[in-house]
Amino acid sequence: MKRLDTLQALPGDAAFDLLVVGAGGAGLAAALFAALRGASVLLVEATGHVGGTTALSAGTSWIPGTRQGAQVNPGDTLAEAARYLDNAIGDRADRALREVLLAEGAATVDELEAQTEMKFRAYPRHPDYISDLGGSTLAGRALEPLPFDGRRLGALFALLRPPIPEFTVLGGMMVDRTDINHLLGMTKSWASFRHAVALLARHARDRLGHPRGTRLVMGNAHVARLLYSLAQREEVTLALDTRLVELERGATGVDAAVLVQGGERRRVRVRGGVVLASGGFNRHPERRRALLPGIDIGWCPGAPGHTGEAHAPAEAVGARYGEGAMSPAFWAPVSRRVRPDGSIAVFPHFVMDRAKPGVLAVDQAGERFVNESTSYHLFGLAMQRAGAVPAFLVCDAAALRKYGLGMVRPGGRGLAPFLADGYLVRGETLADLARALAIDPARLAATVERFNAHAEAGHDPDFHRGETAYQRNLGDPAWPGPNPSLGPLAQGPFYAVRLYPGDIGAAQGFATDADARVLDASGTPIPGLYAVGNDMHSAMGGVYMAPGITIGPGLVFARQAARHAAARVPASGKP
């Protein structure tokens, strides 16, 4: 891979087989699949880092029917996956898109594993989110990237978007769920002790020569593996801090683009087409006001490059947004805190706290409004429907020590800074906590009393918490009560953090066909224009029905786009 430090290095008649706009997970994959087919690729990224929100995520890819999935769930079938998709999505998205996901998913993974550095595994238990729907499964469809040694990237390591600092420990050490379990259990088993000591020793060595840990997991591992694979391909040219400002449509379709880098402006010709993979509309001020009214941009934990700036040039050549999605965005409850450097930490509450025993969520009236163990997407939507903004995630002292709360780590130590800046609110009694949160003490006490009675019985008739396999999986498997997701708030002091509905990605984007070709107002594909990742209208119809339903389709449709675009390149233009 070649680095293009300045657009001035491009000749005036520069031409590439493919222009990929955006170097997040889907854009990197599109560039890689095109390079595997011998196409010359110019990959441009509007920020100074690669990886987008994929680099900040868990890095899971939902792709049924793979060899890796069969190792943990040999009984699963594509027919069952199709049934689940039909039940979950219905007519919110074109059925042809999910048919491609099922038909091409395994081949996508196989090609990556055979020809690149991408390596996957299926976690032994990773349920679909709506696990009470027909066709759902408890494991085998969600793939995770294997950890990656960032030192192999050499100088490219600095280009990789770092993870959210609050998702790391000890000054930049990344940990996944396996690591967390070993760290928490290092005094309880020899295996956990050895695993934890090896992690800590590796991180200590890393900090001697690197600004953060180089053992990469989750989304950072996914992106690093794509980047390392691209680094081996001479067909690819990477330009950072470079924006798309114009597309040109000629007799054969989109055949040129205008790029801007600093004060430099360059026109490049494209033979096969342009792939939009810029991350979606989320940080575009006007589109945000129109599609996400009332949702503060400060609640979005996504990467900074998702400005939607590349969408206007696409619309100028006829592209249109899709319609009918469950929601224009995907959601998670988030909490916010000012970091020492003045930046704002936006922390998504995915799995670590809200579904654990001794934790519940209330609105500003002190009443429950949601099943706390539902998916983060449905939790965020429930907050908006109930007007619970902010909401409060409340726990007792025992739950705080065991599970942590948001950015507060398990163990119950080091609370002073969180209490001092107001991120964490404490009350010696529930009444004290209620007054600190400006909630009616009697109403909060009544809510907790009712919740505690249901927790003791192990059944939640109000919101049915912990009744599905997915919800119980989020609970505490070591909990001695009848429901691993339900436990009373019994031991003071009591704590709370404020929650806001955070948009974690765009679900509404450009309408496409099964080859990821962007459609115009008549439903006709625009030759030479493709959209993948969150620039593409969600193949899931805005339904977050499983882990990895953005990254998985991002890979599959990146391959579809790359194959189709590479086939458009005239034979005389191919290497």
Side-chain angles (χ1 to χ4, degrees):
M1 182 177 71
K2 297 179 285 292
R3 285 281 309 279
L4 191 66
D5 294 325
T6 172
L7 290 181
Q8 291 180 334
L10 286 176
D13 60 346
F16 295 86
D17 293 335
L18 197 66
L19 170 66
V20 178
V21 181
L28 291 168
L32 181 56
F33 281 119
L36 291 175
R37 284 153 180 79
S40 62
V41 182
L42 176 59
L43 172 61
V44 301
E45 164 61 36
T47 74
H49 290 91
V50 304
T53 297
T54 300
L56 309 180
S57 74
T60 303
S61 299
W62 195 82
I63 302 179
T66 65
R67 170 180 53 81
Q68 295 84 352
Q71 292 173 355
V72 300
N73 187 2
D76 192 25
T77 66
L78 290 179
E80 279 296 278
R83 185 162 75 99
Y84 179 57
L85 290 172
D86 288 344
N87 287 332
I89 300 171
D91 60 359
R92 295 186 180 97
D94 184 355
R95 184 185 301 271
L97 299 181
R98 53 188 187 260
E99 289 175 350
V100 167
L101 177 66
L102 296 178
E104 300 292 338
T108 299
V109 172
D110 287 345
E111 182 176 341
L112 287 171
E113 287 224 328
Q115 300 188 48
T116 79
E117 192 61 33
M118 291 298 294
K119 305 298 176 193
F120 299 91
R121 66 187 176 195
Y123 202 74
R125 187 175 179 87
H126 211 159
D128 292 331
Y129 288 172
I130 316 175
S131 57
D132 53 338
L133 278 185
S136 66
T137 189
L138 301 181
R141 298 172 184 170
L143 305 181
E144 299 178 332
L146 294 184
F148 184 76
D149 186 347
R151 294 173 297 190
R152 298 176 64 191
L153 287 170
L156 293 178
F157 181 69
L159 305 186
L160 182 64
R161 183 169 300 282
I164 296 173
E166 290 72 24
F167 280 0
T168 68
V169 298
L170 300 176
M173 183 175 81
M174 295 197 72
V175 289
D176 59 18
R177 76 182 85 187
T178 300
D179 301 327
I180 292 171
N181 290 335
H182 282 303
L183 288 168
L184 294 176
M186 66 182 297
T187 62
K188 300 175 184 177
S189 81
W190 178 242
S192 289
F193 178 80
R194 286 185 300 175
H195 185 98
V197 168
L199 284 180
L200 297 172
R202 163 67 185 271
H203 185 61
R205 292 193 301 271
D206 280 347
R207 292 311 304 272
L208 294 175
H210 297 88
R212 65 181 180 100
T214 62
R215 177 184 176 271
L216 307 179
V217 297
M218 301 189 296
N220 245 224
H222 182 101
V223 171
R225 287 182 173 277
L226 287 171
L227 181 59
Y228 183 83
S229 301
L230 282 169
Q232 316 308 309
R233 308 296 311 194
E234 62 180 14
E235 300 93 339
V236 179
T237 301
L238 172 66
L240 300 179
D241 299 308
T242 302
R243 299 177 292 113
L244 171 73
V245 295
E246 185 180 344
L247 291 173
E248 297 179 11
R249 185 172 179 177
T252 61
V254 173
D255 58 9
V258 178
L259 306 173
V260 170
Q261 184 190 68
E264 192 68 28
R265 184 181 179 97
R266 278 289 188 275
R267 177 181 182 271
V268 297
R269 293 182 294 112
V270 290
R271 291 179 283 259
V274 175
V275 178
L276 300 175
S278 67
F281 70 84
N282 296 71
R283 296 189 181 278
H284 190 284
E286 288 77 21
R287 294 185 193 276
R288 187 174 185 86
R289 281 193 290 269
L291 297 176
L292 307 178
I295 304 300
D296 194 301
I297 186 63
W299 304 342
C300 176
H306 299 172
T307 64
E309 185 181 17
H311 289 198
E315 288 175 314
V317 296
R320 67 169 178 87
Y321 269 21
E323 298 176 346
M326 177 183 185
S327 169
F330 297 114
W331 301 95
V334 302
S335 54
R336 291 164 38 89
R337 185 176 187 235
V338 180
R339 298 186 179 111
D341 65 1
S343 63
I344 304 295
V346 182
F347 185 91
H349 291 247
F350 289 135
V351 300
M352 296 301 294
D353 50 22
R354 57 187 173 80
K356 297 296 192 291
V359 183
L360 83 162
V362 298
D363 60 17
Q364 294 170 344
E367 297 181 344
R368 292 178 71 205
F369 63 92
V370 67
N371 175 346
E372 295 89 347
S373 63
T374 193
S375 74
Y376 39 89
H377 177 61
L378 294 179
F379 194 115
L381 289 173
M383 293 178 70
Q384 297 171 70
R385 284 195 301 268
V389 183
F392 306 101
L393 195 61
V394 179
C395 72
D396 69 359
L400 184 78
R401 284 194 302 271
K402 190 167 187 181
Y403 312 116
L405 193 68
M407 301 183 213
V408 178
R409 311 286 189 195
R413 294 181 295 274
L415 302 184
F418 297 97
L419 293 168
D421 64 20
Y423 173 77
L424 183 68
V425 182
R426 178 172 65 192
E428 294 303 316
T429 66
L430 279 172
D432 292 337
L433 182 67
R435 284 188 285 269
L437 298 173
I439 293 174
D440 178 8
R443 189 77 62 86
L444 180 61
T447 296
V448 173
E449 181 180 9
R450 180 176 177 83
F451 177 82
N452 285 353
H454 297 328
E456 293 289 352
H459 175 59
D460 175 21
D462 295 335
F463 293 95
H464 307 284
R465 174 168 162 176
E467 291 187 4
T468 71
Y470 165 73
Q471 294 171 20
R472 295 172 79 89
N473 189 63
L474 291 185
D476 181 355
W479 180 250
N483 187 325
S485 186
L486 285 174
L489 282 73
Q491 176 187 345
F494 299 90
Y495 299 90
V497 296
R498 294 173 176 84
L499 298 180
Y500 304 87
D503 49 303
I504 59 175
Q508 188 165 6
F510 290 116
T512 68
D513 69 2
D515 286 316
R517 294 184 294 176
V518 175
L519 306 179
D520 64 16
S522 69
T524 302
I526 299 172
L529 186 61
Y530 306 83
V532 299
N534 287 352
D535 278 352
M536 173 185 175
H537 193 66
S538 170
M540 304 303 182
V543 180
Y544 216 119
M545 20 61 63
I549 55 85
T550 56
I551 298 178
L555 290 175
V556 173
F557 287 101
R559 181 171 177 261
Q560 292 292 104
R563 287 198 304 181
H564 194 278
R568 294 187 74 244
V569 177
S572 59
K574 294 182 179 180

